[in-house]
Amino acid sequence: MSANKKLYDEIFRLLYEHHKWFSESLPLIASENVPSPGVREALASDLGNRYAEGWPGERVYAGCTYIDQIELLAIETAKRLFSCEFVDVRPVSGVCANLAIYTAFTLPGDYMICLSIPCGGHISTGKMELGGTAGAVHGLKIEYFPFNYEEMNIDVDLTKKKVEELEKNGVKIKLAMFGGSVLLFPQPLKELASFLKEKGMFVCYDAAHVIGLVAGKQFQDPLREGADAVTCSTHKTLFGPQGGMIMSYEKFAEKIKKAVFPGNVSNHHLHSVAAKAIALTEMLEFGEEYAAQIVKNSKAFAEALAEKGLKVLGEKNGFTKSHVVLVDITKYGLGGDLERKLEKANIICNRNLLPWDIKEGRHFANPGGLRFGVSEVTRLGMKENEMKEIAGFITDIIVRNKDVEEVKKKVIEFRKGYQKVHFCFEPTRGAHEYIRIR
Ligand code: DSN
């Protein structure tokens, strides 16, 4: 066998091993999910090899007869799901969707207000000195929303005061970006939107994490609460392919369309558009039931972790109203170390900065927090009782310091009962089954 064929085989072996491992694990990363067989089929289609560019009906290439129809269906389905006037399904990621908003509504050197990263902000809204997209790529200057640690949310009065003071000092903010990567609770958007708009800001909500809960009517609805636009990714609580999307009003449509193409993508990912269309139809059919179970599961999971000895944040407001649970694990160790230890027991989660970590001298490599998300295990058919069991496996490792190999065996046994994707049409394949088409 040639060396190149060996290399080729090795890549497939690793792919197979990954799928086997995940089928025996508890996937608890809040930004992840498992797509349906329908979404996976669309992703493997020939559309991934084609070029379109531009808007359906105004393409730069021939060959788009069916591609145009699929993209229009994706747009119409998203409009129904989110009751909105305008949708762009072309951004290839959530970061790309945010960049399109920066392109459409700000110029380099303008100011944006958003969450800081330790308080749950995303790197796409980060400052230049942190290498964040907003600062380093689009040249935005960043101010942070004042954040209340006990509420785990934006402080409305301090935000108004800060904006007034900045204005007095000649700083006029152009863009307010709500949302983020650690959203335990709905943000005070309706309390702030009119005030911020009166100050001349475009108000956007980055719903990358919670858009599936918005679709399922279990979280705040940003367009109804005053946002001018919503950006999102399509693969977190919205169980589609990795990608992005923008929802807004007709009056902003032309600016957004131009900012997406030719501003931030040339060819968008057409197989991903087809997969988005499939996921959106599954959301229309199953979204409310799915999102309601997520919210019940995260609450049950947070309560069980707290009962078993972990310090779960957001206690004052019932720990969580989203798919995310954030834990301060500093009593037992640090985030990086415990993330790796849990991984050895097939429990997959991620370390996370806590709002006060940087001030206390901790860094992202080994912060004080662990972040868990229950979307994927909910999709695997798990309910409140299973959340308690998972909390038991986690606290066996972190609190009771039990043998990792013993816990891993229990996790593998437990996972055997949850192998199919729920809340989808045609759940024919295993959720983490490796599908061979060679
Ligand atoms: N950084 C991702 C997250 O895990 O929240 C989003 O892109």
Side-chain angles (χ1 to χ4, degrees):
M1 189 191 291
S2 77
N4 290 337
K5 178 64 170 43
K6 273 194 191 148
L7 184 58
Y8 171 93
D9 287 344
E10 174 61 3
I11 295 163
F12 284 112
R13 187 189 68 77
L14 293 171
L15 276 171
Y16 175 81
E17 289 300 330
H18 170 86
H19 285 75
K20 182 168 182 299
W21 183 32
F22 265 65
S23 72
E24 296 179 339
S25 297
L26 292 171
L28 293 165
I29 289 184
S31 46
E32 295 180 351
N33 212 325
V34 60
S36 66
V39 167
R40 291 178 78 186
E41 185 166 321
L43 281 176
S45 71
D46 181 65
L47 269 65
N49 314 316
R50 301 298 144 209
Y51 259 74
E53 295 194 356
W55 198 255
E58 305 162 14
R59 303 298 198 185
V60 179
Y61 297 86
C64 296
T65 304
Y66 300 103
I67 290 169
D68 279 9
Q69 293 175 55
I70 291 169
E71 188 161 322
L72 288 172
L73 281 178
I75 292 168
E76 286 314 311
T77 313
K79 280 187 185 174
R80 272 176 64 198
L81 193 56
F82 298 106
S83 308
C84 62
E85 294 176 3
F86 169 73
V87 176
D88 197 320
V89 293
R90 296 172 300 170
V92 296
S93 66
V95 171
C96 176
N98 283 348
L99 259 174
I101 294 295
Y102 305 156
T103 309
F105 302 104
T106 67
L107 289 170
D110 282 344
Y111 277 86
M112 171 170 79
I113 189 163
C114 59
L115 281 183
S116 71
I117 291 171
C119 292
H122 185 245
I123 47 158
S124 62
T125 60
K127 287 184 174 180
M128 163 94 84
E129 44 283 34
L130 300 174
T133 315
V137 180
H138 194 66
L140 290 179
K141 294 179 187 149
I142 307 295
E143 290 289 340
Y144 295 134
F145 283 123
F147 193 79
N148 183 315
Y149 293 169
E150 211 187 334
E151 300 289 341
M152 285 301 286
N153 217 329
I154 295 167
D155 187 310
V156 174
D157 294 336
L158 290 182
T159 297
K160 289 184 178 171
K161 205 165 148 208
K162 177 167 184 167
V163 169
E164 301 279 12
E165 268 164 25
L166 284 167
E167 206 175 48
K168 265 188 225 145
N169 294 326
V171 173
K172 220 172 148 32
I173 300 175
K174 287 286 285 292
L175 174 61
M177 183 63 94
F178 285 80
S181 274
V182 184
L183 292 190
L184 300 178
F185 306 108
Q187 292 178 327
L189 176 60
K190 58 177 178 299
E191 290 80 353
L192 282 167
S194 326
F195 169 83
L196 298 173
K197 285 188 198 174
E198 275 159 25
K199 296 289 179 194
M201 292 178 218
F202 185 86
V203 176
C204 186
Y205 189 109
D206 179 346
H209 266 266
V210 292
I211 195 68
L213 304 181
V214 177
K217 302 185 174 37
Q218 306 295 324
F219 206 73
Q220 71 188 137
D221 182 347
L223 290 174
R224 253 49 59 191
E225 293 190 15
D228 293 315
V230 173
T231 56
C232 67
S233 46
T234 49
H235 50 273
K236 296 186 171 86
T237 51
L238 178 55
F239 39 53
Q242 291 206 340
M245 196 163 66
I246 302 173
M247 275 76 73
S248 186
Y249 291 92
E250 203 46 58
K251 63 183 170 185
F252 300 121
E254 284 315 308
K255 277 192 168 181
I256 294 173
K257 281 161 79 170
K258 212 166 134 206
V260 172
F261 173 83
N264 285 279
V265 293
S266 62
N267 194 39
H268 51 297
H269 297 168
L270 307 170
H271 56 324
S272 178
V273 167
K276 284 172 191 174
I278 299 287
L280 290 164
T281 61
E282 292 180 326
M283 250 315 157
L284 271 180
E285 180 85 6
F286 306 102
E288 286 191 34
E289 198 194 339
Y290 156 75
Q293 190 61 51
I294 286 187
V295 174
K296 283 191 257 177
N297 280 356
S298 60
K299 196 165 172 53
F301 180 55
E303 284 171 356
L305 288 174
E307 268 165 32
K308 291 172 194 295
L310 288 182
K311 185 170 162 43
V312 183
L313 300 195
E315 185 175 3
K316 180 167 183 250
N317 294 312
F319 300 121
T320 180
K321 288 194 162 49
S322 72
H323 60 304
V324 179
V325 173
L326 188 62
V327 177
D328 175 345
I329 38 76
T330 48
K331 189 171 160 199
Y332 301 101
L334 287 169
D337 302 329
L338 289 171
E339 172 196 284
R340 283 186 288 277
K341 199 167 173 193
L342 288 168
E343 189 191 61
K344 290 200 175 98
N346 284 13
I347 299 168
I348 315 291
C349 68
N350 71 277
R351 63 187 183 277
N352 215 93
L353 283 169
L354 302 176
W356 45 87
D357 267 353
I358 303 292
K359 282 184 207 136
E360 293 187 0
R362 285 185 290 271
H363 182 261
F364 178 68
N366 221 354
L370 286 175
R371 186 186 68 165
F372 300 96
V374 300
S375 324
E376 190 162 347
V377 288
T378 304
R379 203 93 199 293
L380 292 171
M382 298 187 199
K383 297 200 168 143
E384 290 94 319
N385 280 340
E386 286 80 2
M387 297 303 112
K388 289 180 196 154
E389 285 205 58
I390 297 176
F393 297 138
I394 291 169
T395 48
D396 275 352
I397 301 268
I398 299 180
V399 179
R400 286 180 286 285
N401 212 12
K402 286 213 178 152
D403 181 64
V404 170
E405 282 305 315
E406 284 304 307
V407 177
K408 179 178 172 177
K409 274 190 210 143
K410 287 189 193 161
V411 167
I412 292 174
E413 197 49 41
F414 172 79
R415 229 341 268 279
K416 282 185 183 156
Y418 306 94
Q419 288 296 324
K420 285 275 161 70
V421 180
H422 290 238
F423 309 106
C424 70
F425 297 117
E426 302 187 289
T428 49
R429 297 287 193 157
H432 300 101
E433 182 182 338
Y434 181 67
I435 299 170
R436 189 183 158 122
I437 58 173
R438 281 172 289 155

